[in-house]
Amino acid sequence: MSQTIGQTKLAYSRAWHLIDVGADARPLGRIATQIALVLMGKHKPMWDPSTDCGDYVVAVGCTDLHTTGKKRFQKKYYRHSTRPGSLKEITMDGLMAKWGGAEVLRKAVSGMLPKNRLREKRLGRLKAFEGLAHPYKINLIKVQAPSRIAEIAAVNAAFSTTAPE
């Protein structure tokens, strides 16, 4: 009988999740929150803040990121090289034009991860792509279910039949 409870290699195995960002109706922040939780492993019952037990996330369709309001044109990203006068800024639209929507998603998820030693490892497990093609098809285990209950076919079928009187 094993003396180790809950910390076996099977418990720490990593799954691969696929999220189609372009087809999801949720805005950027809601998607980034879900991705951050999966990268940290908070969806697992054995989650611990000091261990790295998160899963891989493959985000596709990042060119079609949805934002609310005028964030795409008004939100600014700043960087500084610590030299005087080197503060640079770029809008979200400019960042998407220069680096693509995957970089915008990566920055949003990065801001939602804890600022500790595990941050870069966790962010390294996020694989974001502009289109629908990606090289991780054989690794995928879990594909994101529809985000709204009304979009599930079984629910629509159950409510479409008329109840007997």
Side-chain angles (χ1 to χ4, degrees):
M1 189 160 113
S2 175
Q3 299 299 318
T4 306
I5 299 174
Q7 295 189 2
T8 61
K9 287 187 179 184
L10 183 60
Y12 280 102
S13 63
R14 301 189 195 278
W16 287 71
H17 301 263
L18 175 69
I19 297 180
D20 189 358
V21 177
D24 203 334
R26 295 176 295 173
L28 170 65
R30 302 286 176 148
I31 296 172
T33 302
Q34 179 192 0
I35 292 172
L37 291 176
V38 171
L39 289 175
M40 285 187 282
K42 279 194 162 186
H43 64 289
K44 295 184 177 182
M46 53 152 310
W47 179 78
D48 182 52
S50 63
T51 59
D52 191 16
C53 61
D55 292 340
Y56 287 89
V57 175
V58 179
V60 295
C62 292
T63 55
D64 302 325
L65 279 176
H66 171 67
T67 56
T68 57
K70 298 180 181 177
K71 286 188 194 80
R72 186 165 181 143
F73 305 103
Q74 291 180 349
K75 179 170 176 49
K76 295 182 180 175
Y77 295 94
Y78 297 95
R79 64 186 186 278
H80 199 283
S81 70
T82 68
R83 303 285 295 173
S86 67
L87 179 66
K88 307 287 184 192
E89 67 179 38
I90 188 169
T91 62
M92 182 186 287
D93 195 42
L95 189 68
M96 287 186 81
K98 186 173 183 178
W99 296 103
E103 184 63 24
V104 173
L105 181 67
R106 195 172 289 111
K107 283 183 178 288
V109 171
S110 175
M112 295 181 185
L113 289 174
K115 283 66 175 177
N116 58 20
R117 294 180 190 179
L118 298 174
R119 184 183 199 184
E120 291 303 316
K121 280 186 177 181
R122 289 172 174 165
L123 201 56
R125 286 196 306 270
L126 171 63
K127 314 294 183 187
F129 297 97
E130 299 298 317
L132 296 177
H134 61 87
Y136 301 106
K137 288 185 173 77
I138 58 171
N139 297 344
L140 292 178
I141 294 173
K142 299 180 181 180
V143 177
Q144 177 197 12
S147 61
R148 298 173 194 245
I149 196 165
E151 295 173 3
I152 300 173
V155 174
N156 284 335
F159 283 108
S160 66
T161 59
T162 58
E165 295 183 22

